[in-house]
Amino acid sequence: MSVSMRDLDPAFQGAGQKAGIEVWRIENFSPTPIPKSSIGKFFTGDSYIVLKTTALKTGALRHDIHYWLGKDTSQDEAGTAAVKTVELDAALGGRAVQYREVQAHETEKFLSYFKPCIIPQEGGVASGFKHVEAEEHITRLFVCRGKHVVHVKEVPFARSSLNHDDIYILDTKSKIFQFNGSNSSIQERAKALEVVQYIKDTYHDGTCEVATVEDGRLMADAESGEFWGFFGGFAPLPRKTANDEDKTYTSDITQLFCVEKGQANPVEGDSLKREMLDTSKCYILDCGLEVFVWMGRTTSLDDRKVASGAAEVSFFSLSNLKKVLQSLCCGYADVRRIMQEMIRSSERPKSQMIRIIEGFETVTFRSKFDTWTQETNTTVSEDGRGRVAALLQRQGVNVRGLMKAAPPKEEPQAFIDCTGNLQVWRVNGQEKILLQAADHSKFYSGDCYVFQYSYPGEEKEEVLIGTWFGKQSVEEERASAVSMASKMVETMKFVPAQARIYEGKEPLQFFVIMQSFIVFKGGISSGYKKYIAEKEVDDDTYNENGLALFRIQGSGPENMQAIQVDPVASSLNSSYCYILHNDSSVFTWIGNLATSTDQELVERQLDLIKPNLQTRAQKEGSESEQFWELLGGKSEYRSQKLTKEPESDPHLFSCSFTKDILKVTEIYNFTQDDLMTEDIFIVDCHSEIFVWVGQEVAPKNKLLALTIGEKFIEKDSLLEKLSPEAPIYVIMEGGEPSFFTRFFTSWDSSKSAMHGNSFQRKLRIVKNGGTPVAEKPKRRTPASYSGRASVPDKSQQRTRSMSFSPERVRVRGRSPAFNALAATFESQNARNLSTPPPVVRKLYPRSVTPDSSKLAPKSSAISSRSALFEQRLKTPPQEPSVSKPPKASPKTPESPAMESNSKGKEEKKENENEEEKSMSSRIGSLTIQEDAKEGVEDEEDLPAHPYERLKTTSSDPVSDIDVTRREAYLSSEEFKEKFGMTKEAFYKLPKWKQNKFKMAVQLF
């Protein structure tokens, strides 16, 4: 698109450089910026241009341009607004979507910028109009329509304006009345209350009274009588009659026109296809209520103006479109004159016009075509955007922000506490088998699993119940897993969140819950064994003494996975590390593009897969012959890292599911207040789908929530090619976890704690002047569900602080010396090792070195305590030498001898109790001290080494050190030099932040 300075208005300089809303009003055929304090105020005699700039997750800025036409605006102003909108788009690089908005018929997207509503005022800047300044309050009547956004329109203050279908707001000097038509919905009534609050704050300084009147109550209460008194008393309401404002133009015919050199030629074809659109031309797609103007990427600015003018004319008379287009060669001024003539005989002036640029088509536009292949991408548009910016810069215009913003560098977060309790069941036919703690994170690709995770939330204990489907699992066991999980949720009164997860599509929070996750080939369930027997295929189930290859991946100790792949060279990837083993040999293979973090994860996973064998490290490019022999010889393999579905900007949809048909409506610029307790909503962020279920939803529909999520993926409303295996979460109102509420700019949990339907809740907020403060519930341990017992065996629950190797004494978050001490007091048969007290809770428990026994003797203080406690345990308690006296009658006084013996026994017991309490307090104190150290344990006994030998890239590395704690071997002076803080301050930081600092100085 060719652009010159004469085409760009100076008022648009610097526009669209940051997220937010900018508004211009057309004054004397020129756009004039509106101050921020006046944004949202519109006058019926004016025309406006509204620019909405949104910062996307990719770092780019998306622009939506709307030009709003008041009902009394002049045609000259309306035409100027249309032309200036095209110019603004050109200034932004020619990539914005442009919308035509007419007063009282605005799009939901436009209204969402100015929630809860816009109420245009009489007046304007055009000749003959002046902004009306109200000297005293005028009683006004408004009609409110809309379930998600509210269209507010002032109607004559008369009984004849009322009907049973709509909601009305009567604004008087001292009180605001909301009249609810008997046929209106609860959601509409709740949304109208937001308008009441807006009127109360805007026109009454928040001090007037609010009353609601229900249609049909007659004079049953004082407020109803007061309301009808303004209309001269109660009288039956007439049926709703459609007026000209309510009529909408409908057309069953969708027609495509090509605009070229003043000619409008219908595009012939049985159906619409993407191939019909030429990049060098402009098109008009007439869909009746919506008229789209599609502009090819290489069209000129003048061509786009002409096409936009032609679309304006098409609103008025489709039969005259060709004649009008032929006259466009006379110039744009003539087009405006023709438009004015056509308006007088308008057939559909309230239709919506949307102008779009090739490569940035809206979902609605693409959905009109039977086939659509996206042939362009943002790179092309970024080039155009850069050319526009360069041109403006040569002319001395500030272009900061016009170029594509750099993507924000953010580390992915799981938004879930990993210190909770985990239970895992493997599905075996129609039943489930509870797994031992050591097997909680070891899954088979041919099996299905059900897991229940209870963890500390922000205000209370939260529960996540989910299913995991292996790639080779059978459909019957998948259905059984879903049924079991749903029954568990139902048994717990729909409090837990529910998840459906497929192998290969696991979300980050799942990996954080599992921590060290291993996926073996094959399966051990009856369903899988039956399947391979029927299909007569080889059983490739993992054998620890056989040949196996594992790809190691993850971001750190709290998120690492080992995935078994085919033991062939083509399974290798230069961006990863691998473990290869057979019955007697273990190899580690380090790809050239693997990071130091990847290498550390290999060492950790070796302890879980093959802990007792000597490993042989293989660097890519210098492998041994035996290594290639095990893989069957060399072959080509990939080098690019495997990518997962990226998370996109979230979209909120309201759902209606009847007779197996799902209908959705997108809600723009959503907030928590858009979630209605009577409905089901879906948050779509592309990589994950969240189904939110309100408390007032019928129980039978709650059970269909997962099905609704699956139907939504099939529907693919945003045409984004959703994966059918994308994770689906079912979130119940009142139990929203942090990984759901993060999609909302703010979240008030007290709103979910309110009782009643949406209207009743909003009414309490409006009358009380805010959300009532709910008492935060105390944390409680939720009831666990088990198929056989209501309280499962505690030995089957895995606390997040315990080691994954039951053969070794390794407890996360404790020093090796304390582990040796704790092991002395544990039962030899107990697998659940000492658990840290809740005084110090670590979100990301640390793993310590496996050689705990070698490090135990380092602390003399702990060793001496250990000897004392062992002696105490070996010495049995002595019984008192005095025999137990008979129980005395209350009326019989004890003899002096008996009294003396009793006192002696009591004193002895008190001494014993004091000793036990003292011992317990010493153990508890020691436990808390060990936990609070966060890795500082035994620092004084570690030898100091120079930084150059400790860093991961050292050419002369130090041997015989704990590679997971390299920083601990630095001297205090060198530690402070590298980290900018003392060791004590460093170990008080969260684990993830410690790792971040360590990576920055090559010690991780």
Side-chain angles (χ1 to χ4, degrees):
M1 178 184 69
S2 60
V3 182
S4 63
M5 279 303 296
R6 64 180 176 83
D7 297 320
L8 303 176
D9 197 294
F12 297 139
Q13 179 176 339
Q17 296 183 10
K18 59 183 180 180
I21 297 177
E22 298 169 80
V23 182
W24 296 264
R25 182 172 57 218
I26 303 301
E27 299 180 6
N28 297 323
F29 306 106
S30 297
T32 301
I34 295 295
K36 288 186 177 181
S37 59
S38 297
I39 290 179
K41 296 179 181 178
F42 295 88
F43 291 89
T44 61
D46 291 335
S47 296
Y48 297 81
I49 296 175
V50 177
L51 170 62
K52 169 66 174 177
T53 304
T54 306
L56 304 178
K57 280 185 175 292
T58 59
L61 296 175
R62 186 188 70 212
H63 298 103
D64 293 285
I65 307 174
H66 306 253
Y67 64 100
W68 184 88
L69 308 178
K71 65 181 180 65
D72 298 321
T73 189
S74 68
Q75 292 307 314
D76 286 336
E77 284 189 352
T80 301
V83 174
K84 293 301 180 181
T85 298
V86 179
E87 293 180 12
L88 176 57
D89 172 53
L92 295 170
R95 58 188 288 171
V97 181
Q98 305 160 48
Y99 302 84
R100 177 183 185 265
E101 308 286 351
V102 179
Q103 182 181 340
H105 295 271
E106 297 88 355
T107 62
E108 290 198 356
K109 187 171 216 178
F110 178 81
L111 291 176
S112 71
Y113 305 153
F114 309 102
K115 290 181 178 180
C117 65
I118 60 172
I119 303 179
Q121 303 177 43
E122 293 293 330
V125 297
S127 58
F129 282 89
K130 291 183 180 180
H131 293 163
V132 177
E133 299 294 339
E135 297 181 357
E136 60 180 24
H137 190 276
I138 301 174
T139 300
R140 297 184 295 174
L141 181 65
F142 301 94
V143 61
C144 299
R145 295 168 182 156
K147 183 178 177 181
H148 306 300
V149 293
V150 186
H151 290 80
V152 180
K153 177 186 172 186
E154 186 173 355
V155 294
F157 176 29
R159 183 189 290 107
S160 58
S161 297
L162 304 176
N163 61 61
H164 299 291
D165 298 322
D166 296 322
I167 298 169
Y168 293 84
I169 296 175
L170 178 63
D171 179 19
T172 69
K173 185 175 182 179
S174 59
K175 184 178 288 189
I176 302 174
F177 296 88
Q178 176 172 317
F179 175 80
N180 299 322
S182 57
N183 297 331
S184 61
S185 68
I186 292 175
Q187 296 90 331
E188 290 175 316
R189 299 177 186 186
K191 278 297 177 183
L193 277 173
E194 295 180 5
V195 179
V196 170
Q197 184 68 56
Y198 171 79
I199 295 175
K200 177 180 177 181
D201 295 337
T202 306
Y203 302 106
H204 298 270
D205 297 326
T207 58
C208 71
E209 296 182 40
V210 173
T212 59
V213 178
E214 297 299 326
D215 183 12
R217 283 193 182 177
L218 304 181
M219 310 291 286
D221 55 68
E223 291 179 341
S224 295
E226 186 179 357
F227 171 79
W228 289 113
F230 285 97
F231 295 93
F234 173 79
L237 297 182
R239 289 188 177 183
K240 182 178 180 180
T241 57
N243 53 35
D244 292 337
E245 292 292 326
D246 296 325
K247 291 178 181 178
T248 56
Y249 179 88
T250 58
S251 175
D252 296 331
I253 302 175
T254 298
Q255 291 183 284
L256 180 66
F257 295 88
C258 177
V259 182
E260 187 179 17
K261 296 180 181 179
Q263 298 293 324
N265 300 315
V267 179
E268 302 295 338
D270 296 333
S271 60
L272 295 178
K273 298 181 180 179
R274 170 65 178 84
E275 293 74 18
M276 294 179 175
L277 305 177
D278 188 339
T279 186
S280 63
K281 299 177 183 178
C282 293
Y283 294 82
I284 296 175
L285 179 62
D286 190 336
C287 303
L289 186 60
E290 297 171 314
V291 175
F292 296 91
V293 181
W294 185 89
M295 306 173 186
R297 193 172 61 248
T298 60
T299 54
S300 67
L301 184 59
D302 288 334
D303 290 339
R304 296 182 181 184
K305 288 181 178 180
V306 170
S308 299
E312 287 279 357
V313 174
S314 73
F315 285 155
F316 313 124
S317 177
L318 187 61
S319 60
N320 291 333
L321 177 59
K322 186 172 183 179
K323 180 181 72 174
V324 173
L325 285 170
Q326 290 173 346
S327 67
L328 289 178
C329 56
C330 300
Y332 198 74
D334 293 321
V335 173
R336 264 202 321 271
R337 176 180 54 79
I338 295 170
M339 289 170 58
Q340 293 174 30
E341 295 176 359
M342 300 301 297
I343 284 176
R344 297 190 184 98
S345 59
S346 171
E347 296 176 4
R348 46 173 179 159
K350 310 306 178 186
S351 295
Q352 299 170 358
M353 184 181 74
I354 303 172
R355 299 192 295 238
I356 52 183
I357 310 299
E358 180 184 5
F360 295 92
E361 295 84 358
T362 63
V363 173
T364 306
F365 178 80
R366 286 185 282 144
S367 66
K368 306 297 182 183
F369 290 74
D370 291 345
T371 58
W372 185 276
T373 54
Q374 193 72 17
E375 297 180 354
T376 59
N377 52 44
T378 56
T379 305
V380 176
S381 180
E382 292 299 339
D383 294 340
R385 187 177 177 83
R387 287 196 295 270
V388 173
L391 171 64
L392 297 178
Q393 192 171 29
R394 287 196 298 272
Q395 300 292 337
V397 178
N398 177 21
V399 297
R400 183 177 60 86
L402 279 182
M403 298 303 293
K404 181 179 179 180
K409 295 182 179 179
E410 296 182 357
E411 294 184 0
Q413 298 184 46
F415 296 96
I416 193 169
D417 191 306
C418 74
T419 63
N421 293 324
L422 177 67
Q423 290 178 277
V424 182
W425 295 264
R426 186 181 69 252
V427 177
N428 192 53
Q430 298 298 319
E431 59 183 11
K432 63 182 189 292
I433 301 174
L434 184 63
L435 300 185
Q436 298 290 332
D439 297 327
H440 278 176
S441 299
K442 298 177 181 179
F443 287 16
Y444 285 86
S445 186
D447 295 341
C448 296
Y449 296 82
V450 177
F451 64 90
Q452 176 179 314
Y453 182 60
S454 307
Y455 62 98
E458 293 184 356
E459 297 180 353
K460 60 182 179 181
E461 289 289 330
E462 296 180 355
V463 183
L464 175 63
I465 294 175
T467 55
W468 184 90
F469 302 150
K471 290 181 178 179
Q472 300 172 280
S473 60
V474 297
E475 192 60 38
E476 291 80 3
E477 290 190 337
R478 292 182 180 183
S480 295
V482 171
S483 176
M484 294 171 186
S486 298
K487 288 180 180 177
M488 293 167 65
V489 172
E490 185 178 5
T491 302
M492 299 176 70
K493 298 182 179 179
F494 297 101
V495 172
Q498 186 176 352
R500 187 212 68 176
I501 299 170
Y502 280 88
E503 178 187 353
K505 298 289 184 179
E506 297 92 347
L508 179 58
Q509 48 265 27
F510 175 81
F511 285 143
V512 169
I513 291 172
M514 296 297 172
Q515 296 186 359
S516 297
F517 187 57
I518 304 176
V519 179
F520 298 115
K521 278 183 167 291
I524 56 179
S525 68
S526 59
Y528 176 77
K529 296 300 184 183
K530 180 182 177 182
Y531 172 79
I532 61 174
E534 291 176 351
K535 298 295 183 180
E536 297 181 353
V537 295
D538 295 334
D539 187 356
D540 60 352
T541 300
Y542 172 72
N543 182 356
E544 61 180 7
N545 295 321
L547 180 63
L549 178 66
F550 293 89
R551 182 181 69 245
I552 310 302
Q553 60 192 38
S555 61
E558 72 283 351
N559 169 25
M560 57 181 180
Q561 303 90 47
I563 311 300
Q564 187 179 358
V565 295
D566 293 333
V568 293
S570 59
S571 296
L572 300 176
N573 188 314
S574 301
S575 296
Y576 295 94
C577 298
Y578 290 78
I579 296 175
L580 174 67
H581 77 75
N582 59 9
D583 57 341
S584 58
S585 303
V586 180
F587 294 87
T588 59
W589 186 83
I590 312 299
N592 287 334
L593 301 179
T595 65
S596 58
T597 301
D598 297 328
Q599 298 179 39
E600 180 187 348
L601 297 185
V602 166
E603 297 299 322
R604 293 177 181 272
Q605 291 287 13
L606 273 173
D607 188 45
L608 302 175
I609 298 174
K610 280 289 184 179
N612 300 318
L613 290 179
Q614 185 69 29
T615 61
R616 299 170 58 182
Q618 307 286 305
K619 185 70 177 175
E620 182 179 4
S622 58
E623 299 88 350
S624 64
E625 290 297 328
Q626 185 182 0
F627 176 82
W628 291 119
E629 286 177 4
L630 289 176
L631 293 179
K634 297 182 179 180
S635 68
E636 296 288 332
Y637 52 82
R638 300 175 61 179
S639 60
Q640 292 184 346
K641 207 172 186 69
L642 302 177
T643 58
K644 286 199 170 187
E645 294 286 350
E647 182 176 285
S648 64
D649 295 275
H651 295 261
L652 180 67
F653 294 87
S654 174
C655 301
S656 172
F657 188 63
T658 55
K659 297 182 179 179
D660 208 35
I661 298 177
L662 176 66
K663 295 181 180 180
V664 298
T665 302
E666 183 170 4
I667 301 173
Y668 302 98
N669 299 292
F670 61 86
T671 65
Q672 181 185 359
D673 289 333
D674 290 311
L675 301 177
M676 297 289 184
T677 187
E678 299 81 17
D679 293 333
I680 295 177
F681 293 82
I682 287 179
V683 174
D684 173 13
C685 64
H686 185 71
S687 59
E688 297 170 286
I689 303 298
F690 298 82
V691 183
W692 183 90
V693 182
Q695 293 177 356
E696 298 295 317
V697 172
K700 64 176 183 180
N701 291 333
K702 289 181 179 179
L703 296 174
L704 295 174
L706 191 59
T707 302
I708 290 175
E710 294 171 342
K711 290 287 184 182
F712 179 84
I713 291 178
E714 293 177 11
K715 190 178 183 69
D716 195 12
S717 299
L718 295 178
L719 304 180
E720 54 183 332
K721 297 181 180 179
L722 287 173
S723 169
E725 297 180 353
I728 298 177
Y729 297 89
V730 176
I731 309 295
M732 298 296 173
E733 182 183 11
E736 296 88 351
S738 297
F739 55 82
F740 172 78
T741 58
R742 66 189 176 97
F743 295 114
F744 297 80
T745 52
S746 62
W747 188 269
D748 184 357
S749 58
S750 63
K751 291 182 178 180
S752 299
M754 296 178 68
H755 298 290
N757 57 39
S758 299
F759 172 69
Q760 294 167 340
R761 295 180 183 185
K762 287 278 176 69
L763 184 60
R764 282 199 293 273
I765 293 175
V766 171
K767 289 191 172 184
N768 296 333
T771 307
V773 179
E775 183 180 355
K776 292 185 178 180
K778 296 181 179 180
R779 282 191 176 173
R780 57 180 176 79
T781 303
S784 296
Y785 178 90
S786 176
R788 295 174 183 168
S790 59
V791 181
D793 183 5
K794 291 187 180 293
S795 65
Q796 303 301 320
Q797 299 186 19
R798 189 184 83 196
T799 54
R800 310 306 293 166
S801 61
M802 72 171 289
S803 167
F804 287 96
S805 296
E807 294 79 12
R808 304 184 181 190
V809 182
R810 295 175 55 194
V811 182
R812 293 189 174 192
R814 307 206 182 281
S815 68
F818 185 78
N819 287 340
L821 173 61
T824 307
F825 301 98
E826 290 293 326
S827 168
Q828 299 297 322
N829 298 324
R831 294 295 189 185
N832 192 5
L833 301 181
S834 178
T835 306
V839 177
V840 181
R841 178 168 58 85
K842 296 183 276 291
L843 292 182
Y844 296 96
R846 52 177 293 133
S847 293
V848 295
T849 56
D851 299 329
S852 303
S853 58
K854 296 180 181 179
L855 299 177
K858 288 184 177 180
S859 176
S860 58
I862 296 179
S863 298
S864 61
R865 289 180 184 273
S866 177
L868 173 64
F869 298 154
E870 288 178 4
Q871 182 179 2
R872 177 70 182 171
L873 288 174
K874 291 177 181 178
T875 306
Q878 296 181 356
E879 294 294 332
S881 57
V882 182
S883 59
K884 186 176 180 180
K887 188 174 181 181
S889 170
K891 297 180 181 180
T892 307
E894 292 183 349
S895 65
M898 294 175 65
E899 187 176 7
S900 174
N901 289 341
S902 177
K903 285 183 178 180
K905 183 176 180 180
E906 289 177 0
E907 289 176 0
K908 210 162 202 176
K909 284 187 176 181
E910 287 178 2
N911 291 336
E912 288 180 359
N913 291 337
E914 287 178 2
E915 289 180 9
E916 289 178 1
K917 289 180 181 178
S918 175
M919 185 183 304
S920 299
S921 65
R922 289 198 298 269
I923 295 177
S925 174
L926 181 60
T927 301
I928 296 174
Q929 290 173 9
E930 287 292 326
D931 271 334
K933 282 185 177 180
E934 273 288 305
V936 193
E937 60 274 337
D938 301 330
E939 298 295 346
E940 65 276 5
D941 292 332
L942 294 178
H945 295 286
Y947 167 75
E948 294 300 327
R949 296 192 64 192
L950 288 172
K951 64 181 183 179
T952 56
T953 58
S954 174
S955 57
D956 182 25
V958 181
S959 57
D960 297 330
I961 64 169
D962 181 359
V963 294
T964 66
R965 299 177 59 239
R966 297 175 185 269
E967 79 287 349
Y969 297 90
L970 289 171
S971 64
S972 299
E973 296 76 13
E974 199 165 15
F975 188 97
K976 191 169 184 179
E977 176 187 347
K978 296 298 179 183
F979 290 92
M981 66 185 79
T982 63
K983 290 186 178 182
E984 182 180 4
F986 175 79
Y987 287 117
K988 289 181 179 179
L989 298 174
K991 190 64 179 177
W992 66 269
K993 190 169 287 188
Q994 293 181 22
N995 293 340
K996 191 173 182 179
F997 276 111
K998 288 161 65 174
M999 284 190 283
V1001 294
Q1002 299 179 337
L1003 290 176
F1004 184 79

